[in-house]
Amino acid sequence: MTSTGIRLHAPAPGWSIDADVVVVGSGVAGLTAALRCEAAGLTTVVVTKARLDDGSTRWAQGGIAAALGEGDTPEQHLDDTLVAGAGLCDEEAVRILVTEGPDAVRRLIATGAQFDESTDGGLELTREGGHHRRRIAHAGGDATGAEISRALVEAVRASGRGEREALSAEGGGGRRAGMRIIENALVLDLLTDAEGRTAGVTLHVMGEGQHDGVGAVHAPAVVLATGGMGQVFSATTNPAVSTGDGVALALRAGAEVSDLEFVQFHPTVLFLGPDAEGQQPLVSEAVRGEGAHLVDGDGVRFMLGQHELAELAPRDIVAKGIMRRMREQDAEHMYLDARHFGAEMWERRFPTILAACRAHGIDPVTGLVPVAPAAHYASGGVRTDSHGRTTVPGLYACGEVACTGVHGANRLASNSLLEGLVYAERIAADIARTGLRARVPQPLPTAERPAHPLLPPEARLAIQRIMTRGAGVLRSEASLAEAADRLHRLHADARDALDENGKTAEPGVDTWEATNLLCVARVLVAAARRREETRGCHWREDRPERDDTAWRRHIVVRLNPDRSLAVRTTDTTDFPPTLTQAQEQ
């Protein structure tokens, strides 16, 4: 592993905390990892960008998939996942997911999560796209993520304490058993020791009433669970905090990322107009699972005949079907027809979606729901092995920020919450098994001028529009080349201003987020240009066929010290090991 030496321009840390493990993120993956690490006796710090319950998990409507129903088996779940992944899933990673998944869900229930039950007292299981069986457990009808988040947040708060209390009790340093919680904190960069191993993170705590909120958590193990990067596009289902911070941090630390071109666009996002930007309301796949139909403006069910599962085909197929029909009819959206559900079913099964629709003047009980694809989930991310280890010793990743190999070229519906659970537990077990040695971080260089340029806050909107236009659902060499050129100009202008006169945007949350977004956007476009085929949720108009001979491979990217990208293609579908035997010691 070679460190890039690149860090975000930020003030020097003014305080520090020591711990065994720092978990960055508070979704299902982060909180599960934190709880399991604490249960193993590890002093654990949870750092989250907003409040504990403000991540993507709380927005998950559909549910969590696991072979929990009568007649269902992990093998059947594995088969559905492999089909959805379009030839790029790591079969062993998927087997781990589906085999360990049912017990992981039961442990989640034991933690306090309350799922909807059928009349006989068992779990009420539903079906979603790509699944041949009812295996989706849900809560509150369509509020599964909110319930899971509630249960995990309560468990963490019961065992944790706030950052102010921790600093007050210890004078800003030292160690003490238990879990510490630092909310409203943006993690900046990874700290490493003289051998390049993880030694903690730097972070900026917001709203502390101080000009300098930058501090450090010193820890020999760091778990990235920062979620997705949906804010790289104009319209997304992701919350505003999903700015790719974990992927950008990992790249600056020298870690490899893989398959970032596979961004899943959810087929049915409530259409709020052609100029709508930011987080958009999701219309869960479970609505189609319960029998809603996709229709065009003439009322024709256009998915019939396109796939054996019609509206319940894997998400990439449904998104492409919608986009094709939109292009054929020069339409801005299609429609979801669930009028036959009736008011009682809408109110009982999908109260959140019903309220969102009505808030925008749409009543799905009596009318059609306008829908169009929007950025939803990153199937790729920071490359890990089956224990969540990245290519940087001591740095782990799980959840949407990670690329475990489970999702391949297209995530199967409701596998994301399960992946967060299963691989977070495996990470905690590996950290506990390995044993931790405190590491002294290398001193942060005090440069006369910033080493890495920051973008102004307004660059965020420019990046989103570039990506939506050039690297959205439909891509081509021409559109990707234009996006790459425009992103490079943003990067080069900031770099040249820094190199020529030492000027860069002022450090702050807005500028750090914009800089992170540019980093992940450049990687995504580079990977999408390299993959000259259509596969899963990567749709190249100029390369419409899937090419297993040339492209049943993974694309791996890392950041060079000069800020350029090193892009390579693996020789086979198998990932090389993340760490050497010497690094594992």
Side-chain angles (χ1 to χ4, degrees):
M1 189 278 296
T2 303
S3 174
T4 66
I6 300 171
R7 295 183 182 277
L8 287 177
H9 176 44
W15 52 269
S16 66
I17 297 174
D18 291 344
D20 294 324
V21 184
V22 54
V23 177
V24 187
S26 60
V28 63
L31 297 187
T32 299
L35 287 167
R36 298 294 178 265
C37 284
E38 190 212 21
L42 302 172
T43 304
T44 305
V45 172
V46 176
V47 177
T48 187
K49 194 172 177 181
R51 301 288 293 174
L52 274 181
D53 62 352
D54 277 346
S56 291
T57 292
R58 64 180 287 223
W59 298 100
Q61 295 174 346
I64 185 166
L68 295 163
E70 184 177 353
D72 197 5
T73 65
E75 200 69 26
Q76 294 176 65
H77 190 182
L78 180 142
D79 290 343
D80 285 344
T81 301
L82 295 180
V83 169
L88 278 188
C89 294
D90 181 311
E91 186 168 341
E92 180 56 29
V94 178
R95 193 171 297 281
I96 289 169
L97 178 84
V98 299
T99 303
E100 298 181 9
D103 282 343
V105 173
R106 295 183 185 103
R107 284 189 287 273
L108 179 61
I109 293 171
T111 302
Q114 299 175 8
F115 291 95
D116 295 344
E117 297 182 348
S118 59
T119 53
D120 63 6
L123 289 176
E124 183 181 44
L125 301 175
T126 60
R127 188 177 164 205
E128 294 182 6
H131 293 273
H132 282 79
R133 283 191 174 273
R134 286 183 170 263
R135 64 168 66 98
I136 316 300
H138 55 87
D142 59 357
T144 309
E147 171 57 19
I148 290 174
S149 180
R150 179 204 62 77
L152 291 174
V153 166
E154 285 188 5
V156 166
R157 287 203 186 281
S159 60
R161 55 206 171 95
E163 185 256 351
R164 285 181 183 274
E165 181 184 346
L167 292 176
S168 175
E170 303 178 20
R175 297 170 106 171
R176 179 174 161 183
M179 191 185 302
R180 302 180 179 94
I181 303 163
I182 307 178
E183 297 181 300
N184 301 306
L186 173 63
V187 169
L188 302 176
D189 282 303
L190 191 75
L191 295 171
T192 55
D193 66 8
E195 298 175 338
R197 293 175 176 268
T198 294
V201 293
T202 56
L203 67 162
H204 172 77
V205 179
M206 298 169 263
E208 290 296 289
Q210 300 176 12
H211 174 70
D212 180 2
V214 174
V217 180
H218 297 153
V222 171
V223 181
L224 292 178
T226 51
M229 55 183 192
Q231 289 292 326
V232 79
F233 294 97
S234 296
T236 176
T237 63
N238 289 190
V241 294
S242 298
T243 51
D245 306 318
V247 172
L249 176 150
L251 284 163
R252 289 193 298 272
E256 294 181 347
V257 304
S258 183
D259 299 350
L260 219 63
E261 69 272 28
F262 296 118
V263 176
Q264 186 177 81
F265 286 74
H266 198 287
T268 53
V269 175
L270 191 63
F271 181 75
L272 301 180
D275 299 322
E277 294 179 327
Q279 186 177 8
Q280 311 289 301
L282 179 67
V283 182
S284 170
E285 199 151 323
V287 176
R288 282 175 281 135
E290 294 292 353
H293 303 141
L294 280 167
V295 298
D296 61 19
D298 298 322
V300 177
R301 286 184 65 189
F302 56 87
M303 284 305 299
L304 292 176
Q306 293 200 36
H307 190 276
E308 61 166 335
L309 295 176
E311 286 95 349
L312 284 177
R315 288 178 176 174
D316 64 309
I317 294 173
V318 179
K320 290 171 188 175
I322 291 174
M323 292 299 297
R324 286 194 188 99
R325 199 63 156 195
M326 286 167 55
R327 295 174 76 185
E328 290 169 2
Q329 299 188 345
D330 193 25
E332 294 179 325
H333 59 82
M334 291 288 109
Y335 295 95
L336 200 60
D337 187 356
R339 292 174 292 183
H340 53 286
F341 284 5
E344 189 278 332
M345 181 174 174
W346 267 109
E347 291 166 0
R348 174 184 58 83
R349 182 67 179 85
F350 302 111
T352 306
I353 299 170
L354 178 63
C357 288
R358 286 177 170 170
H360 292 282
I362 300 160
D363 191 346
V365 176
T366 59
L368 301 177
V369 179
V371 293
H376 182 57
Y377 189 89
S379 293
V382 185
R383 187 166 81 82
T384 74
D385 63 11
S386 62
H387 299 286
R389 299 178 292 195
T390 74
T391 52
V392 176
L395 179 64
Y396 295 78
C398 57
E400 191 173 354
V401 71
C403 182
T404 62
V406 159
H407 303 307
N410 182 47
R411 174 177 66 93
L412 181 65
S414 289
N415 266 357
S416 54
L417 292 174
L418 189 70
E419 183 198 32
L421 272 182
V422 169
Y423 281 87
E425 291 188 343
R426 292 180 70 83
I427 285 173
D430 189 74
I431 294 173
R433 175 189 61 81
T434 304
L436 296 164
R437 289 179 292 169
R439 303 193 178 279
V440 179
Q442 288 186 299
L444 293 177
T446 304
E448 293 184 2
R449 64 190 208 174
H452 188 52
L454 297 179
L455 269 67
E458 57 267 24
R460 177 173 181 151
L461 186 59
I463 294 165
Q464 291 171 334
R465 290 177 174 172
I466 291 168
M467 293 298 290
T468 298
R469 178 182 174 87
V473 180
L474 300 177
R475 303 167 177 174
S476 67
E477 171 57 29
S479 75
L480 290 166
E482 180 182 359
D485 182 61
R486 294 179 66 188
L487 292 171
H488 175 72
R489 286 204 297 270
L490 284 175
H491 172 72
D493 288 348
R495 180 199 61 203
D496 292 347
L498 177 62
D499 291 345
E500 292 172 7
N501 53 34
K503 290 186 176 181
T504 190
E506 283 295 316
V509 174
D510 290 344
T511 57
W512 290 322
E513 286 185 334
T515 304
N516 285 339
L517 281 172
L518 178 62
C519 179
V520 297
R522 291 176 62 216
V523 174
L524 193 160
V525 169
R529 292 187 76 184
R530 174 65 67 92
R531 184 171 293 282
E532 297 179 344
E533 63 158 355
T534 289
R535 180 186 298 271
C537 51
H538 172 66
W539 187 6
R540 286 279 297 258
E541 293 181 276
D542 56 331
R543 297 286 190 274
E545 303 301 322
R546 172 171 153 177
D547 183 356
D548 280 348
T549 300
W551 291 107
R552 197 175 174 204
R553 306 284 188 271
H554 300 281
I555 295 175
V556 178
V557 184
R558 61 178 174 79
L559 189 63
N560 290 321
D562 65 357
R563 310 180 197 117
S564 64
L565 301 178
V567 185
R568 66 183 174 90
T569 306
T570 60
D571 296 330
T572 69
T573 56
D574 296 329
F575 279 123
T578 56
L579 300 175
T580 65
Q581 283 189 327
Q583 288 174 322
E584 292 178 13
Q585 301 302 315

